[in-house]
Amino acid sequence: MIRATRNWFRRNRTNFALGFGVLGVGYVASQYVLSKLAEARERMSSDRIAKENLRRRFEQNQEDCTFTVLALLPTATENILEALRVESITHELQQKRAEHLLQSAGAADVASSELSSGPPSVADDDGRSLQSFQSESYVHASQNLAEPLAGGDAGQSVLQQRTQKSKVKLWNELKISSVTRAFTLIYTLSLLTLLTRIQLNLLGRRNYLSSVVSLASHPPNESTINLENRDDDNLGHAYGNDFETNRRYLTFSWWLLHRGWKDIMTKVEVAVREVFGPLSPREDITLEKLSELVIQVRKKVEGSTETERRNSKWLAYLLPPREQEDYVLRESGMSGSATLPTTTDPPHMPLRRLLDETSDLIDSPPFTHVQTKLLDAGFSVLVNEKLRLQAFKLAPESSLRESRVQEVSGDQTETETEAKTRVANVLAVLTRQAHSIGLGANADEKVNEYLRAMEQERDLEGFAAIVYSSNFEFEAPTTGGAEDDDKEGTRPKPEVLTTSRTMECGESFADMSLVEAELENAWGKATEHSG
């Protein structure tokens, strides 16, 4: 039996060999496939984690932008409030009124009663500096006193006329200054918000790329990205991710905070004088009329047509000319070697590239598009919320929309459309709101509602995501020095955010699928570039 079994195995040894061979090959193939599947799952998991880390990093970067704006805003606010001292004009007007009433106190008992019934003198608190604007007696007191003084001697009559002329001039100055101040602060806030988004997202992109390149040089089992800057210093410097470069770059916000706002104020003041100049503080105005005047001012500042707004240039307000870059670095406290190196100085090429790319972004049509959206949000808070409620005593639009779900009578609609208030009341609200617009991080009061409204514009997040995820190839370090950098075509030019890069300027960035796609593509761009 043993011999028979042995003979059977001998006769079928070829079949057994083939069978074992097939089983071996099948086992090896299955193990290879399983290993590839495991590798693919690990790679997909690594990519998913990296993309999620990138998204979290981007969101954290936007929060940093908010805190940075709140930290810088008080500097611009202080400068603007100092230049347009509405409270000082108000105090001078009230002093003239008090002096006039005191001089007329012995002429008639009516004058003394008017003095006692008038509002108190201006307080030091800026929030109550124009409290007298809301009282009709502030305007009518001098008018009532003119009658008893009319029969007095010629000297008192001439003095009264001079005082009246001076008061008219002060009122006009108060009107122009209060409107200009509030509008200038809104423009400055929107520009500071956009500039900060560009700066921090460009630096965040460089930091992220440095982390990806550092990951490529680590062992294969270390598959996650360290988003903190703990990489090799030389590698970080090669990508411009060093403290000195970042510090110098962020310093250039000094221009808007100390110089740019002046040009904005000048442009806004010219428009305000032309639009609001004919108005008298004593006359009545409707909310609809006021909204039309605000739109007219904006058209004169930003452009009256879509083409003019698209071609508006904001770069001069945000960054200095190249010949004044050294001056900005010195004035901002960059002592020692404060001279900005030229583009032919290899160690400081990243700073020059950052400034050039920032200029390109500011001059791009999407920047103007997002700037218009931010201004729409800021002026909407001012006119449709604050002035509507505090000056015209109308319900906020949100509650009004809720009430319109129910039955609304025609009398209520007529009251809303025909509601009027004195221009002086509008000026009082604008004066108080100027402090709210410039509210910074150190304020113990409520949050800055204007900044919050601007940051709720989804176009702003879309614009920031595109800045954060574009031009990875432009961040490549070169090894040939300045001579190679200067050669034509050796370094890719930055991709400017034009309408062909994103969308037509009239469309919106609000489609968040665009934001998610840009952030997910960033990981692929960075890993491809690092390889």
CSV table of all heavy atoms in Angstrom, one decimal, residues 3 34-35 47 54 67 80 104 171 180 183 194 205 217 361 413 511 517 524:
chain,number,residue,atom,x,y,z
A,3,ARG,N,3.8,1.4,-1.2
A,3,ARG,CA,4.4,1.5,-2.5
A,3,ARG,C,3.4,2.0,-3.5
A,3,ARG,O,3.8,2.9,-4.4
A,3,ARG,CB,4.9,0.1,-3.0
A,3,ARG,CG,5.5,0.1,-4.4
A,3,ARG,CD,6.1,-1.2,-4.7
A,3,ARG,NE,7.2,-1.6,-3.8
A,3,ARG,CZ,7.9,-2.7,-3.9
A,3,ARG,NH1,7.6,-3.6,-4.8
A,3,ARG,NH2,8.8,-3.0,-3.0
A,34,LEU,N,-3.4,43.0,-0.9
A,34,LEU,CA,-3.8,43.4,0.4
A,34,LEU,C,-2.8,44.5,0.9
A,34,LEU,O,-3.3,45.5,1.5
A,34,LEU,CB,-3.8,42.3,1.4
A,34,LEU,CG,-4.9,41.2,1.2
A,34,LEU,CD1,-4.7,40.1,2.2
A,34,LEU,CD2,-6.3,41.9,1.4
A,35,SER,N,-1.6,44.4,0.6
A,35,SER,CA,-0.6,45.4,1.0
A,35,SER,C,-0.8,46.7,0.3
A,35,SER,O,-0.8,47.8,0.9
A,35,SER,CB,0.8,44.9,0.8
A,35,SER,OG,1.1,44.8,-0.6
A,47,ASP,N,-4.0,61.7,3.8
A,47,ASP,CA,-4.5,62.9,3.0
A,47,ASP,C,-5.7,63.5,3.7
A,47,ASP,O,-5.8,64.7,3.7
A,47,ASP,CB,-4.8,62.5,1.6
A,47,ASP,CG,-3.5,62.1,0.8
A,47,ASP,OD1,-2.4,62.4,1.3
A,47,ASP,OD2,-3.7,61.6,-0.3
A,54,LEU,N,-5.3,71.2,7.4
A,54,LEU,CA,-5.2,72.4,6.6
A,54,LEU,C,-6.5,73.3,6.8
A,54,LEU,O,-6.4,74.5,7.0
A,54,LEU,CB,-5.0,72.0,5.1
A,54,LEU,CG,-5.1,73.2,4.1
A,54,LEU,CD1,-3.9,74.2,4.4
A,54,LEU,CD2,-5.0,72.7,2.7
A,67,PHE,N,-8.5,89.0,15.4
A,67,PHE,CA,-7.9,89.6,16.6
A,67,PHE,C,-6.8,90.6,16.1
A,67,PHE,O,-6.6,91.6,16.8
A,67,PHE,CB,-7.2,88.5,17.4
A,67,PHE,CG,-8.2,87.6,18.1
A,67,PHE,CD1,-8.2,86.2,17.8
A,67,PHE,CD2,-9.1,88.1,19.0
A,67,PHE,CE1,-9.1,85.4,18.5
A,67,PHE,CE2,-10.0,87.3,19.6
A,67,PHE,CZ,-10.0,85.9,19.4
A,80,ILE,N,-8.0,109.3,13.4
A,80,ILE,CA,-9.1,109.8,12.7
A,80,ILE,C,-9.9,110.7,13.7
A,80,ILE,O,-10.4,111.8,13.3
A,80,ILE,CB,-10.0,108.7,12.1
A,80,ILE,CG1,-9.2,108.0,11.0
A,80,ILE,CG2,-11.3,109.3,11.5
A,80,ILE,CD1,-9.9,106.8,10.4
A,104,SER,N,-28.5,137.4,27.4
A,104,SER,CA,-29.9,137.7,27.2
A,104,SER,C,-30.8,137.5,28.5
A,104,SER,O,-32.0,137.7,28.4
A,104,SER,CB,-30.5,136.9,26.1
A,104,SER,OG,-29.7,137.1,24.9
A,171,TRP,N,-21.9,124.9,12.7
A,171,TRP,CA,-22.8,123.9,12.4
A,171,TRP,C,-22.5,123.2,11.1
A,171,TRP,O,-22.6,122.0,11.0
A,171,TRP,CB,-24.3,124.5,12.3
A,171,TRP,CG,-25.0,124.5,13.6
A,171,TRP,CD1,-25.3,125.5,14.4
A,171,TRP,CD2,-25.6,123.3,14.3
A,171,TRP,NE1,-25.9,125.1,15.6
A,171,TRP,CE2,-26.2,123.8,15.5
A,171,TRP,CE3,-25.6,122.0,14.0
A,171,TRP,CZ2,-26.8,122.9,16.4
A,171,TRP,CZ3,-26.3,121.1,14.9
A,171,TRP,CH2,-26.9,121.6,16.1
A,180,THR,N,-18.2,112.8,7.6
A,180,THR,CA,-16.9,112.3,7.1
A,180,THR,C,-16.2,111.4,8.0
A,180,THR,O,-15.6,110.4,7.6
A,180,THR,CB,-16.0,113.5,6.8
A,180,THR,OG1,-16.6,114.4,5.9
A,180,THR,CG2,-14.6,113.1,6.3
A,183,PHE,N,-17.9,107.8,7.9
A,183,PHE,CA,-17.7,107.2,6.6
A,183,PHE,C,-16.2,106.8,6.5
A,183,PHE,O,-15.9,105.7,6.0
A,183,PHE,CB,-18.1,108.1,5.5
A,183,PHE,CG,-19.6,108.2,5.3
A,183,PHE,CD1,-20.5,107.7,6.3
A,183,PHE,CD2,-20.1,108.9,4.3
A,183,PHE,CE1,-21.8,107.9,6.2
A,183,PHE,CE2,-21.5,109.0,4.1
A,183,PHE,CZ,-22.4,108.5,5.1
A,194,LEU,N,-9.3,93.6,4.9
A,194,LEU,CA,-8.8,92.9,3.7
A,194,LEU,C,-7.3,92.8,3.7
A,194,LEU,O,-6.7,91.8,3.3
A,194,LEU,CB,-9.3,93.7,2.4
A,194,LEU,CG,-10.6,93.2,1.9
A,194,LEU,CD1,-11.1,94.1,0.7
A,194,LEU,CD2,-10.6,91.8,1.4
A,205,ARG,N,0.2,80.5,4.3
A,205,ARG,CA,0.6,79.6,3.1
A,205,ARG,C,2.0,79.2,3.1
A,205,ARG,O,2.4,78.0,2.9
A,205,ARG,CB,0.2,80.3,1.8
A,205,ARG,CG,0.5,79.5,0.6
A,205,ARG,CD,0.3,80.3,-0.7
A,205,ARG,NE,1.3,81.3,-0.8
A,205,ARG,CZ,1.3,82.3,-1.7
A,205,ARG,NH1,0.3,82.5,-2.5
A,205,ARG,NH2,2.3,83.2,-1.8
A,217,SER,N,10.9,65.3,4.1
A,217,SER,CA,12.3,64.9,4.4
A,217,SER,C,12.3,64.0,5.7
A,217,SER,O,13.3,63.5,6.1
A,217,SER,CB,13.1,66.1,4.7
A,217,SER,OG,12.6,66.9,5.8
A,361,LEU,N,-2.4,91.4,-5.6
A,361,LEU,CA,-3.7,91.0,-5.0
A,361,LEU,C,-4.6,92.2,-4.8
A,361,LEU,O,-5.8,92.2,-5.1
A,361,LEU,CB,-3.6,90.3,-3.7
A,361,LEU,CG,-2.9,88.9,-3.8
A,361,LEU,CD1,-2.6,88.3,-2.4
A,361,LEU,CD2,-3.9,87.9,-4.6
A,413,THR,N,-47.4,101.1,7.3
A,413,THR,CA,-46.5,101.3,6.1
A,413,THR,C,-46.2,102.7,5.8
A,413,THR,O,-45.1,103.2,5.6
A,413,THR,CB,-47.0,100.5,4.9
A,413,THR,OG1,-47.3,99.2,5.3
A,413,THR,CG2,-46.1,100.6,3.7
A,511,ASP,N,-20.1,80.7,-2.8
A,511,ASP,CA,-20.3,79.3,-3.0
A,511,ASP,C,-19.1,78.6,-2.3
A,511,ASP,O,-18.0,78.6,-2.7
A,511,ASP,CB,-20.2,79.0,-4.5
A,511,ASP,CG,-20.5,77.5,-4.8
A,511,ASP,OD1,-20.8,76.8,-3.8
A,511,ASP,OD2,-20.4,77.1,-5.9
A,517,ALA,N,-12.9,73.4,-2.4
A,517,ALA,CA,-12.0,72.8,-3.4
A,517,ALA,C,-10.7,73.5,-3.4
A,517,ALA,O,-9.7,72.8,-3.6
A,517,ALA,CB,-12.7,73.1,-4.8
A,524,GLY,N,-2.6,68.9,-2.4
A,524,GLY,CA,-2.0,68.3,-3.6
A,524,GLY,C,-0.9,69.2,-4.2
A,524,GLY,O,0.1,68.7,-4.6
